[in-house]
Amino acid sequence: MKIFDTVNKAEVEVNGTDGLVQLMKDGRQVDLYLKEKKSDEDGYMSWDVEHWSSVDGKRFIRCYSLEGRVLSESTGHNIYDLANDFKPEEAAKVELS
């Protein structure tokens, strides 16, 4: 999978989802630009970009943006949650920050 590295201003080849998870463990942030706006099940918030990063290699945090504005909400995940919640294959664009 080819993604754009916004820090080094270059396109990089990544070994799928596992490669992205390893990059997060190594201290990078992965930004998933969604194809359409998502909302939580309660209708409390909506977002169109997910910002994923690792806290300590086993725990991960997901922050959200909507229409260019970073939202104050975030969610915590463990490595096993990523199989259900981290879906780069469904994103319109993936970037590395």
Side-chain angles (χ1 to χ4, degrees):
M1 157 189 314
K2 287 193 181 216
I3 62 171
F4 187 72
D5 184 337
T6 60
V7 174
N8 297 315
K9 306 286 189 247
E11 207 166 275
V12 294
E13 184 70 33
V14 178
N15 186 17
T17 301
D18 292 338
L20 291 173
V21 170
Q22 186 58 51
L23 286 168
M24 286 190 285
K25 287 180 179 182
D26 294 341
R28 301 297 300 271
Q29 176 177 295
V30 175
D31 302 318
L32 304 179
Y33 292 83
L34 307 176
K35 294 176 183 171
E36 57 187 34
K37 187 170 26 173
K38 282 189 178 180
S39 294
D40 66 344
E41 52 276 343
D42 298 326
Y44 173 71
M45 71 173 202
S46 297
W47 65 95
D48 56 7
V49 180
E50 297 178 355
H51 309 281
W52 287 86
S53 55
S54 178
V55 177
D56 61 7
K58 296 178 186 170
R59 294 178 297 154
F60 298 83
I61 188 167
R62 174 173 52 176
C63 300
Y64 306 90
S65 292
L66 177 63
E67 298 170 354
R69 186 175 60 93
V70 177
L71 305 177
S72 61
E73 290 81 0
S74 64
T75 53
H77 304 267
N78 66 39
I79 189 74
Y80 306 106
D81 292 333
L82 295 185
N84 293 324
D85 298 323
F86 181 62
K87 304 211 180 283
E89 65 278 358
E90 294 178 3
K93 177 173 71 167
V94 180
E95 287 185 346
L96 190 60
S97 314

Coordinates of all heavy atoms in Angstrom, one line a residue:
M1 N 0.9 -1.2 0.0 CA 0.0 0.0 0.0 C 0.9 1.2 0.0 O 1.8 1.3 0.8 CB -0.9 -0.1 1.3 CG -1.4 1.2 1.7 SD -2.3 1.2 3.4 CE -3.3 -0.2 3.3
K2 N 0.6 2.2 -0.9 CA 1.4 3.4 -1.0 C 0.6 4.5 -0.2 O -0.6 4.7 -0.4 CB 1.6 3.8 -2.4 CG 2.6 3.0 -3.1 CD 3.0 3.6 -4.4 CE 4.0 2.7 -5.0 NZ 5.1 3.4 -5.7
I3 N 1.3 5.2 0.7 CA 0.8 6.3 1.4 C 1.7 7.5 1.4 O 2.9 7.3 1.1 CB 0.4 5.9 2.9 CG1 1.7 5.5 3.6 CG2 -0.6 4.8 2.9 CD1 1.5 5.3 5.1
F4 N 1.2 8.7 1.7 CA 2.0 9.9 1.6 C 2.5 10.2 3.0 O 1.7 10.2 4.0 CB 1.2 11.1 1.1 CG 2.1 12.3 0.9 CD1 3.0 12.3 -0.2 CD2 1.9 13.4 1.7 CE1 3.8 13.5 -0.3 CE2 2.7 14.5 1.5 CZ 3.6 14.5 0.5
D5 N 3.8 10.4 3.2 CA 4.4 10.8 4.5 C 4.5 12.3 4.5 O 5.3 12.9 3.7 CB 5.8 10.1 4.5 CG 6.5 10.4 5.9 OD1 6.2 11.4 6.5 OD2 7.4 9.6 6.2
T6 N 3.7 13.0 5.3 CA 3.6 14.4 5.3 C 4.8 15.1 6.0 O 5.1 16.2 5.7 CB 2.3 14.9 6.0 OG1 2.3 14.4 7.4 CG2 1.1 14.4 5.3
V7 N 5.6 14.3 6.8 CA 6.8 14.9 7.4 C 7.9 14.9 6.4 O 8.6 15.9 6.3 CB 7.2 14.0 8.7 CG1 8.5 14.5 9.3 CG2 6.0 14.1 9.7
N8 N 8.2 13.8 5.8 CA 9.3 13.7 4.8 C 8.9 14.1 3.4 O 9.7 14.1 2.5 CB 9.8 12.3 4.8 CG 10.4 11.9 6.2 OD1 11.1 12.7 6.8 ND2 10.1 10.7 6.6
K9 N 7.6 14.4 3.2 CA 7.1 14.9 1.9 C 7.4 13.9 0.8 O 8.0 14.2 -0.3 CB 7.7 16.2 1.5 CG 7.5 17.3 2.5 CD 6.1 17.8 2.6 CE 5.9 19.0 3.5 NZ 5.2 18.8 4.7
A10 N 7.1 12.6 1.0 CA 7.4 11.6 0.0 C 6.4 10.5 0.2 O 5.8 10.3 1.2 CB 8.8 11.0 0.3
E11 N 6.2 9.7 -0.9 CA 5.3 8.6 -0.9 C 6.1 7.4 -0.4 O 7.3 7.2 -0.9 CB 4.7 8.3 -2.3 CG 3.4 7.6 -2.3 CD 2.7 7.7 -3.6 OE1 2.1 8.7 -3.9 OE2 2.9 6.7 -4.4
V12 N 5.5 6.6 0.5 CA 6.2 5.4 1.0 C 5.4 4.2 0.8 O 4.1 4.3 0.7 CB 6.6 5.6 2.5 CG1 7.6 6.7 2.7 CG2 5.3 5.8 3.3
E13 N 6.0 3.0 0.7 CA 5.3 1.8 0.5 C 5.2 1.1 1.9 O 6.2 1.0 2.6 CB 6.2 0.9 -0.4 CG 5.5 -0.5 -0.7 CD 4.2 -0.4 -1.5 OE1 4.2 0.5 -2.4 OE2 3.3 -1.2 -1.3
V14 N 4.0 0.7 2.3 CA 3.8 0.1 3.6 C 3.1 -1.3 3.4 O 2.3 -1.4 2.5 CB 2.8 1.0 4.4 CG1 2.5 0.4 5.7 CG2 3.4 2.4 4.6
N15 N 3.5 -2.2 4.2 CA 3.0 -3.6 4.1 C 1.6 -3.7 4.8 O 1.4 -4.2 5.8 CB 3.9 -4.5 4.8 CG 3.5 -6.0 4.6 OD1 2.7 -6.3 3.8 ND2 4.1 -6.9 5.4
G16 N 0.6 -3.1 4.2 CA -0.8 -3.1 4.6 C -1.1 -2.6 6.0 O -0.3 -1.8 6.5
T17 N -2.1 -3.2 6.6 CA -2.5 -2.7 7.9 C -1.5 -3.0 9.0 O -1.2 -2.2 9.8 CB -3.9 -3.4 8.3 OG1 -4.9 -3.1 7.4 CG2 -4.3 -3.0 9.7
D18 N -0.8 -4.2 8.9 CA 0.2 -4.6 9.8 C 1.4 -3.6 9.8 O 2.0 -3.2 10.8 CB 0.8 -6.0 9.6 CG -0.3 -7.0 9.9 OD1 -1.2 -6.8 10.7 OD2 -0.2 -8.1 9.3
G19 N 1.7 -3.1 8.6 CA 2.8 -2.1 8.4 C 2.4 -0.8 9.0 O 3.3 -0.1 9.7
L20 N 1.2 -0.4 8.9 CA 0.7 0.9 9.5 C 0.7 0.8 11.0 O 1.1 1.7 11.7 CB -0.7 1.2 9.0 CG -0.8 1.6 7.6 CD1 -2.3 1.7 7.2 CD2 -0.1 2.9 7.3
V21 N 0.3 -0.4 11.6 CA 0.3 -0.6 13.0 C 1.8 -0.5 13.5 O 2.1 0.1 14.6 CB -0.3 -1.9 13.4 CG1 -0.1 -2.3 14.9 CG2 -1.8 -1.9 13.1
Q22 N 2.7 -1.1 12.8 CA 4.1 -1.0 13.2 C 4.6 0.4 13.2 O 5.4 0.8 14.0 CB 5.0 -1.9 12.3 CG 6.4 -2.0 12.7 CD 6.6 -2.6 14.2 OE1 6.0 -3.6 14.5 NE2 7.3 -1.8 15.0
L23 N 4.2 1.2 12.2 CA 4.6 2.6 12.1 C 4.1 3.3 13.3 O 4.8 4.2 13.9 CB 4.2 3.2 10.8 CG 4.9 2.8 9.6 CD1 4.2 3.3 8.3 CD2 6.3 3.4 9.6
M24 N 2.9 3.0 13.8 CA 2.3 3.7 15.0 C 3.1 3.3 16.2 O 3.4 4.1 17.0 CB 0.9 3.3 15.1 CG -0.1 4.0 14.2 SD -1.8 3.8 14.6 CE -2.1 2.1 14.1
K25 N 3.5 2.0 16.3 CA 4.3 1.5 17.4 C 5.7 2.2 17.4 O 6.3 2.5 18.5 CB 4.5 0.0 17.3 CG 3.3 -0.8 17.7 CD 3.6 -2.3 17.6 CE 2.5 -3.1 17.9 NZ 2.8 -4.6 17.9
D26 N 6.2 2.6 16.2 CA 7.5 3.3 16.1 C 7.4 4.8 16.3 O 8.3 5.5 16.2 CB 8.1 3.0 14.7 CG 8.4 1.5 14.5 OD1 8.6 0.8 15.5 OD2 8.6 1.1 13.3
G27 N 6.2 5.3 16.7 CA 6.0 6.7 17.0 C 5.4 7.6 16.0 O 5.3 8.8 16.1
R28 N 4.9 7.0 14.9 CA 4.2 7.9 13.9 C 2.7 7.9 14.0 O 2.1 7.0 14.7 CB 4.6 7.3 12.5 CG 6.1 7.3 12.2 CD 6.8 8.6 12.1 NE 6.2 9.6 11.2 CZ 6.6 9.7 9.9 NH1 7.6 8.9 9.5 NH2 6.0 10.6 9.1
Q29 N 2.1 8.9 13.5 CA 0.6 9.0 13.5 C 0.1 8.6 12.1 O 0.7 9.0 11.1 CB 0.2 10.4 13.8 CG -1.3 10.6 13.7 CD -1.7 12.0 14.2 OE1 -1.5 12.4 15.3 NE2 -2.2 12.8 13.2
V30 N -1.0 7.9 12.1 CA -1.6 7.5 10.8 C -3.0 8.2 10.7 O -3.8 8.1 11.6 CB -1.8 5.9 10.7 CG1 -2.6 5.6 9.5 CG2 -0.5 5.2 10.8
D31 N -3.2 8.9 9.6 CA -4.4 9.7 9.4 C -5.2 9.0 8.3 O -4.8 8.8 7.2 CB -4.1 11.1 9.0 CG -3.2 11.9 10.0 OD1 -3.5 11.7 11.2 OD2 -2.3 12.6 9.6
L32 N -6.5 8.7 8.7 CA -7.4 8.0 7.7 C -8.4 9.0 7.3 O -9.3 9.5 8.1 CB -8.1 6.8 8.4 CG -7.2 5.7 9.0 CD1 -8.1 4.6 9.6 CD2 -6.2 5.2 7.9
Y33 N -8.4 9.4 6.1 CA -9.4 10.4 5.5 C -10.6 9.5 5.0 O -10.4 8.8 4.0 CB -8.8 11.2 4.4 CG -7.8 12.2 5.0 CD1 -6.5 11.8 5.2 CD2 -8.1 13.5 5.3 CE1 -5.5 12.7 5.7 CE2 -7.2 14.4 5.8 CZ -5.9 14.0 6.0 OH -5.0 14.8 6.6
L34 N -11.7 9.6 5.6 CA -12.8 8.7 5.3 C -13.5 9.1 4.0 O -13.5 10.3 3.6 CB -13.8 8.7 6.5 CG -13.2 8.3 7.8 CD1 -14.2 8.4 8.9 CD2 -12.5 6.9 7.8
K35 N -14.2 8.2 3.4 CA -14.9 8.4 2.1 C -16.1 9.3 2.4 O -16.6 10.1 1.6 CB -15.3 7.1 1.5 CG -14.1 6.4 1.0 CD -14.4 5.0 0.4 CE -13.2 4.3 0.0 NZ -13.4 2.9 -0.3
E36 N -16.7 9.1 3.6 CA -17.9 9.9 3.9 C -17.9 10.1 5.4 O -17.2 9.4 6.2 CB -19.2 9.2 3.5 CG -19.4 7.8 4.0 CD -20.6 7.1 3.4 OE1 -20.9 7.3 2.3 OE2 -21.2 6.3 4.2
K37 N -18.6 11.1 5.9 CA -18.7 11.4 7.3 C -19.3 10.2 8.1 O -20.3 9.6 7.6 CB -19.6 12.7 7.5 CG -19.6 13.2 8.9 CD -20.2 14.6 9.0 CE -21.2 15.0 8.0 NZ -21.8 16.3 8.4
K38 N -18.8 10.0 9.3 CA -19.3 8.9 10.2 C -19.9 9.6 11.4 O -19.4 10.7 11.8 CB -18.2 8.0 10.6 CG -17.8 6.9 9.6 CD -16.8 6.0 10.3 CE -16.4 4.8 9.4 NZ -15.5 3.9 10.0
S39 N -20.8 8.9 12.1 CA -21.3 9.4 13.4 C -21.3 8.2 14.3 O -21.4 7.0 13.9 CB -22.8 9.9 13.2 OG -22.8 11.0 12.4
D40 N -21.2 8.5 15.6 CA -21.3 7.4 16.6 C -22.8 7.0 16.7 O -23.7 7.6 16.2 CB -20.8 7.9 17.9 CG -21.5 9.0 18.6 OD1 -22.3 9.6 17.9 OD2 -21.3 9.2 19.8
E41 N -23.0 5.9 17.4 CA -24.3 5.3 17.5 C -25.3 6.2 18.2 O -26.5 6.1 18.0 CB -24.3 3.9 18.1 CG -23.6 3.8 19.4 CD -22.0 3.6 19.3 OE1 -21.5 3.3 18.2 OE2 -21.4 3.9 20.3
D42 N -24.9 7.1 19.1 CA -25.8 8.0 19.8 C -26.0 9.3 19.0 O -26.9 10.1 19.5 CB -25.2 8.3 21.2 CG -25.1 7.1 22.0 OD1 -25.9 6.2 21.9 OD2 -24.1 7.0 22.8
G43 N -25.3 9.5 18.0 CA -25.5 10.8 17.2 C -24.8 11.9 17.9 O -25.0 13.1 17.6
Y44 N -23.9 11.6 18.9 CA -23.3 12.7 19.7 C -22.2 13.4 18.9 O -22.1 14.6 19.0 CB -22.6 12.0 20.9 CG -21.7 13.0 21.7 CD1 -22.3 14.0 22.5 CD2 -20.3 12.8 21.7 CE1 -21.5 14.8 23.2 CE2 -19.5 13.7 22.4 CZ -20.1 14.7 23.2 OH -19.3 15.5 23.9
M45 N -21.5 12.7 18.0 CA -20.5 13.4 17.2 C -20.3 12.8 15.9 O -20.7 11.6 15.6 CB -19.1 13.4 18.0 CG -18.4 12.0 18.0 SD -16.8 12.3 18.7 CE -16.0 10.8 18.0
S46 N -19.8 13.6 15.0 CA -19.6 13.1 13.6 C -18.1 13.5 13.2 O -17.6 14.5 13.8 CB -20.5 13.8 12.6 OG -21.8 13.5 12.9
W47 N -17.5 12.7 12.4 CA -16.1 13.0 12.0 C -15.9 12.5 10.5 O -16.6 11.7 10.0 CB -15.1 12.3 12.9 CG -15.2 10.8 12.9 CD1 -14.4 10.0 12.2 CD2 -16.1 10.0 13.7 NE1 -14.7 8.7 12.5 CE2 -15.8 8.6 13.4 CE3 -17.1 10.2 14.6 CZ2 -16.4 7.6 13.9 CZ3 -17.8 9.1 15.1 CH2 -17.4 7.8 14.8
D48 N -14.8 13.1 9.9 CA -14.5 12.6 8.6 C -13.0 12.2 8.4 O -12.6 11.8 7.4 CB -14.9 13.6 7.5 CG -14.3 15.0 7.7 OD1 -13.5 15.2 8.6 OD2 -14.7 15.9 7.0
V49 N -12.2 12.4 9.5 CA -10.8 12.0 9.6 C -10.6 11.4 10.9 O -11.0 11.9 12.0 CB -9.9 13.2 9.4 CG1 -8.4 12.7 9.4 CG2 -10.1 13.9 8.1
E50 N -9.8 10.2 10.9 CA -9.4 9.6 12.2 C -7.9 9.7 12.2 O -7.2 9.4 11.3 CB -9.8 8.1 12.2 CG -11.3 7.9 12.1 CD -11.7 6.4 12.1 OE1 -10.8 5.6 12.0 OE2 -12.9 6.1 12.2
H51 N -7.4 10.1 13.4 CA -6.0 10.3 13.6 C -5.6 9.2 14.7 O -6.0 9.3 15.8 CB -5.6 11.6 14.2 CG -6.2 12.8 13.4 ND1 -5.6 13.2 12.2 CD2 -7.3 13.5 13.5 CE1 -6.3 14.2 11.7 NE2 -7.3 14.4 12.5
W52 N -4.8 8.2 14.2 CA -4.4 7.1 15.1 C -3.0 7.2 15.5 O -2.1 7.5 14.6 CB -4.6 5.8 14.3 CG -6.0 5.3 14.1 CD1 -6.9 5.7 13.1 CD2 -6.8 4.5 14.9 NE1 -8.1 5.1 13.3 CE2 -8.1 4.3 14.4 CE3 -6.5 3.7 16.1 CZ2 -9.0 3.5 14.9 CZ3 -7.5 2.9 16.7 CH2 -8.7 2.9 16.1
S53 N -2.7 6.9 16.7 CA -1.3 6.8 17.2 C -1.2 5.9 18.4 O -2.2 5.5 19.0 CB -0.8 8.2 17.6 OG -1.6 8.8 18.5
S54 N 0.0 5.5 18.7 CA 0.3 4.5 19.8 C 0.7 5.3 21.0 O 1.5 6.2 21.0 CB 1.3 3.5 19.4 OG 1.6 2.6 20.5
V55 N 0.2 4.8 22.2 CA 0.6 5.4 23.5 C 1.9 4.7 23.9 O 2.9 5.3 24.3 CB -0.5 5.2 24.5 CG1 0.0 5.7 25.9 CG2 -1.8 5.9 24.1
D56 N 2.0 3.3 23.9 CA 3.1 2.6 24.4 C 3.4 1.3 23.6 O 4.1 0.4 24.1 CB 3.0 2.3 25.8 CG 1.7 1.4 26.1 OD1 1.1 0.9 25.2 OD2 1.5 1.2 27.3
G57 N 2.9 1.2 22.4 CA 3.1 0.0 21.6 C 2.0 -1.1 21.8 O 1.8 -2.0 21.0
K58 N 1.3 -1.0 22.9 CA 0.2 -1.9 23.2 C -1.2 -1.2 23.2 O -2.2 -1.8 23.0 CB 0.4 -2.6 24.5 CG 1.6 -3.5 24.5 CD 1.8 -4.2 25.8 CE 3.1 -4.9 25.8 NZ 3.5 -5.4 27.2
R59 N -1.1 0.1 23.6 CA -2.3 0.9 23.6 C -2.3 2.0 22.6 O -1.2 2.5 22.3 CB -2.5 1.5 25.0 CG -2.7 0.5 26.1 CD -2.8 1.2 27.5 NE -1.5 1.8 27.8 CZ -1.4 2.9 28.6 NH1 -2.4 3.4 29.2 NH2 -0.2 3.4 28.8
F60 N -3.5 2.3 22.0 CA -3.6 3.2 20.9 C -4.7 4.2 21.2 O -5.6 3.9 21.9 CB -3.9 2.4 19.6 CG -2.8 1.5 19.2 CD1 -2.8 0.2 19.8 CD2 -1.9 1.8 18.3 CE1 -1.8 -0.7 19.4 CE2 -0.9 0.9 18.0 CZ -0.8 -0.3 18.5
I61 N -4.5 5.4 20.6 CA -5.5 6.4 20.8 C -6.0 6.9 19.4 O -5.2 6.9 18.4 CB -5.0 7.6 21.6 CG1 -6.1 8.6 21.9 CG2 -3.8 8.3 20.9 CD1 -5.7 9.6 23.0
R62 N -7.3 7.1 19.3 CA -7.9 7.6 18.0 C -8.5 9.0 18.3 O -9.4 9.1 19.2 CB -8.9 6.7 17.5 CG -9.7 7.2 16.3 CD -10.6 6.2 15.7 NE -11.5 5.6 16.6 CZ -12.5 4.7 16.3 NH1 -12.6 4.3 15.0 NH2 -13.2 4.2 17.2
C63 N -8.0 10.0 17.6 CA -8.6 11.4 17.7 C -9.4 11.6 16.4 O -9.2 10.9 15.4 CB -7.5 12.4 17.9 SG -6.6 12.1 19.4
Y64 N -10.2 12.6 16.4 CA -11.1 12.8 15.3 C -11.1 14.3 14.8 O -10.8 15.2 15.6 CB -12.6 12.6 15.7 CG -12.8 11.2 16.3 CD1 -12.6 11.0 17.7 CD2 -13.1 10.1 15.5 CE1 -12.9 9.7 18.3 CE2 -13.4 8.9 16.1 CZ -13.2 8.7 17.4 OH -13.4 7.4 18.0
S65 N -11.4 14.4 13.5 CA -11.5 15.8 12.9 C -12.8 15.8 12.1 O -13.2 14.7 11.6 CB -10.3 16.1 12.0 OG -9.2 16.3 12.7
L66 N -13.4 16.9 11.9 CA -14.5 17.1 11.1 C -14.3 18.4 10.3 O -14.2 19.5 10.9 CB -15.8 17.2 11.9 CG -17.1 17.5 11.1 CD1 -17.4 16.3 10.2 CD2 -18.3 17.6 12.1
E67 N -14.3 18.3 9.0 CA -14.2 19.4 8.1 C -13.0 20.3 8.4 O -13.2 21.5 8.5 CB -15.5 20.2 8.0 CG -16.7 19.3 7.5 CD -18.1 20.0 7.7 OE1 -18.2 21.0 8.3 OE2 -19.0 19.3 7.2
G68 N -11.9 19.7 8.7 CA -10.7 20.4 9.0 C -10.5 20.9 10.4 O -9.4 21.5 10.8
R69 N -11.5 20.6 11.3 CA -11.4 21.1 12.7 C -11.2 19.8 13.6 O -11.9 18.9 13.5 CB -12.7 21.8 13.1 CG -12.6 22.4 14.5 CD -13.9 23.2 14.7 NE -15.1 22.4 14.6 CZ -15.7 21.8 15.7 NH1 -15.2 21.9 16.9 NH2 -16.8 21.1 15.5
V70 N -10.1 19.9 14.4 CA -9.8 18.8 15.3 C -10.9 18.8 16.5 O -11.1 19.8 17.1 CB -8.4 18.8 15.9 CG1 -8.2 17.7 16.9 CG2 -7.4 18.8 14.7
L71 N -11.5 17.7 16.7 CA -12.5 17.6 17.8 C -11.8 17.2 19.1 O -10.7 16.6 19.1 CB -13.5 16.5 17.4 CG -14.2 16.7 16.1 CD1 -15.2 15.5 15.8 CD2 -15.0 18.0 16.0
S72 N -12.4 17.5 20.2 CA -11.8 17.3 21.5 C -12.0 15.8 22.0 O -11.3 15.4 22.9 CB -12.4 18.2 22.6 OG -13.8 18.0 22.7
E73 N -12.8 15.0 21.3 CA -13.0 13.7 21.7 C -11.9 12.7 21.2 O -11.3 13.0 20.2 CB -14.4 13.1 21.2 CG -15.6 13.8 21.8 CD -16.0 15.1 21.2 OE1 -15.2 15.6 20.3 OE2 -16.9 15.7 21.7
S74 N -11.7 11.7 22.0 CA -10.8 10.6 21.6 C -11.2 9.3 22.2 O -12.0 9.3 23.1 CB -9.3 11.0 22.0 OG -9.3 11.0 23.4
T75 N -10.7 8.2 21.6 CA -11.0 6.9 22.2 C -9.7 6.1 22.3 O -8.8 6.3 21.6 CB -12.0 6.1 21.2 OG1 -11.5 6.1 19.9 CG2 -13.4 6.8 21.2
G76 N -9.7 5.3 23.4 CA -8.6 4.4 23.6 C -8.8 3.0 23.1 O -10.0 2.5 23.2
H77 N -7.8 2.4 22.7 CA -7.9 1.0 22.1 C -6.7 0.2 22.5 O -5.6 0.7 22.6 CB -8.0 1.1 20.6 CG -9.1 1.9 20.1 ND1 -10.4 1.5 19.8 CD2 -9.1 3.3 19.8 CE1 -11.1 2.5 19.4 NE2 -10.4 3.6 19.4
N78 N -6.9 -1.1 22.7 CA -5.7 -2.0 22.9 C -5.4 -2.6 21.5 O -6.1 -2.4 20.5 CB -6.0 -3.0 24.0 CG -7.0 -4.0 23.7 OD1 -7.2 -4.5 22.5 ND2 -7.8 -4.4 24.7
I79 N -4.3 -3.4 21.4 CA -3.9 -3.9 20.2 C -4.9 -4.9 19.6 O -5.1 -4.9 18.4 CB -2.5 -4.7 20.4 CG1 -1.9 -5.1 19.0 CG2 -2.7 -5.9 21.3 CD1 -1.3 -4.0 18.3
Y80 N -5.7 -5.5 20.4 CA -6.8 -6.4 19.9 C -8.0 -5.7 19.3 O -8.7 -6.2 18.5 CB -7.2 -7.4 21.0 CG -6.0 -8.1 21.6 CD1 -5.5 -7.8 22.8 CD2 -5.4 -9.1 20.8 CE1 -4.4 -8.5 23.4 CE2 -4.2 -9.7 21.4 CZ -3.8 -9.4 22.6 OH -2.7 -10.1 23.1
D81 N -8.2 -4.4 19.8 CA -9.3 -3.6 19.3 C -9.1 -3.2 17.8 O -10.0 -2.9 17.1 CB -9.5 -2.4 20.1 CG -10.0 -2.6 21.5 OD1 -10.7 -3.6 21.7 OD2 -9.7 -1.8 22.4
L82 N -7.8 -3.1 17.4 CA -7.5 -2.6 16.1 C -8.1 -3.4 15.0 O -8.5 -2.9 14.0 CB -6.0 -2.5 15.9 CG -5.3 -1.5 16.8 CD1 -3.8 -1.4 16.5 CD2 -5.9 -0.1 16.8
A83 N -8.2 -4.7 15.2 CA -8.8 -5.6 14.2 C -10.3 -5.2 13.9 O -10.7 -5.3 12.7 CB -8.8 -7.1 14.7
N84 N -11.0 -4.6 14.8 CA -12.4 -4.2 14.6 C -12.5 -2.7 14.3 O -13.4 -2.3 13.6 CB -13.2 -4.5 15.9 CG -13.4 -6.0 16.1 OD1 -13.5 -6.8 15.2 ND2 -13.4 -6.3 17.4
D85 N -11.6 -1.9 14.8 CA -11.8 -0.4 14.7 C -10.8 0.3 13.7 O -11.2 1.3 13.2 CB -11.6 0.2 16.1 CG -12.7 -0.3 17.0 OD1 -13.8 -0.5 16.6 OD2 -12.3 -0.5 18.2
F86 N -9.7 -0.3 13.5 CA -8.7 0.4 12.6 C -8.8 -0.2 11.2 O -8.4 -1.3 10.9 CB -7.3 0.2 13.1 CG -6.2 0.8 12.3 CD1 -6.2 2.2 12.2 CD2 -5.2 0.1 11.7 CE1 -5.2 2.8 11.4 CE2 -4.2 0.7 11.0 CZ -4.2 2.1 10.8
K87 N -9.4 0.6 10.3 CA -9.8 0.1 8.9 C -9.2 1.0 7.8 O -10.0 1.7 7.2 CB -11.3 0.0 8.8 CG -11.9 -0.9 9.9 CD -13.1 -1.6 9.4 CE -13.7 -2.5 10.4 NZ -13.0 -3.7 10.7
P88 N -7.9 1.0 7.6 CA -7.4 1.8 6.6 C -7.8 1.5 5.2 O -7.9 2.3 4.3 CB -5.8 1.6 6.7 CG -5.7 0.3 7.4 CD -6.9 0.2 8.3
E89 N -8.2 0.2 4.9 CA -8.7 -0.2 3.6 C -10.0 0.5 3.2 O -10.4 0.5 2.1 CB -8.8 -1.7 3.6 CG -9.9 -2.3 4.5 CD -9.5 -2.5 5.9 OE1 -8.3 -2.2 6.3 OE2 -10.3 -2.9 6.7
E90 N -10.7 1.0 4.2 CA -12.0 1.7 3.9 C -11.8 3.2 3.8 O -12.8 3.9 3.5 CB -13.0 1.4 5.1 CG -13.4 -0.1 5.1 CD -14.4 -0.3 6.3 OE1 -14.8 0.6 7.0 OE2 -14.7 -1.5 6.5
A91 N -10.6 3.7 3.9 CA -10.4 5.1 3.8 C -10.2 5.6 2.4 O -9.7 4.8 1.5 CB -9.2 5.5 4.6
A92 N -10.6 6.8 2.1 CA -10.3 7.4 0.7 C -8.9 7.7 0.6 O -8.3 7.6 -0.5 CB -11.2 8.6 0.6
K93 N -8.2 8.1 1.7 CA -6.8 8.4 1.6 C -6.1 8.2 3.0 O -6.8 8.4 4.0 CB -6.6 9.9 1.3 CG -5.2 10.5 1.3 CD -5.2 11.9 0.8 CE -5.7 12.9 1.8 NZ -5.4 14.3 1.5
V94 N -4.9 7.7 3.0 CA -4.2 7.4 4.2 C -2.9 8.2 4.2 O -2.2 8.2 3.1 CB -3.8 5.9 4.4 CG1 -3.1 5.6 5.6 CG2 -5.1 5.0 4.3
E95 N -2.6 8.9 5.3 CA -1.4 9.7 5.3 C -0.6 9.4 6.6 O -1.2 9.0 7.6 CB -1.6 11.2 5.3 CG -2.0 11.7 4.0 CD -2.2 13.2 3.9 OE1 -2.2 13.9 5.0 OE2 -2.3 13.8 2.8
L96 N 0.7 9.5 6.6 CA 1.6 9.3 7.7 C 2.0 10.7 8.2 O 2.5 11.5 7.4 CB 2.7 8.5 7.3 CG 3.7 7.9 8.3 CD1 2.9 7.0 9.3 CD2 4.8 7.1 7.6
S97 N 1.9 11.0 9.5 CA 2.3 12.2 10.1 C 3.4 12.0 11.1 O 3.6 11.0 11.6 CB 1.2 12.9 10.8 OG 0.0 12.9 10.1

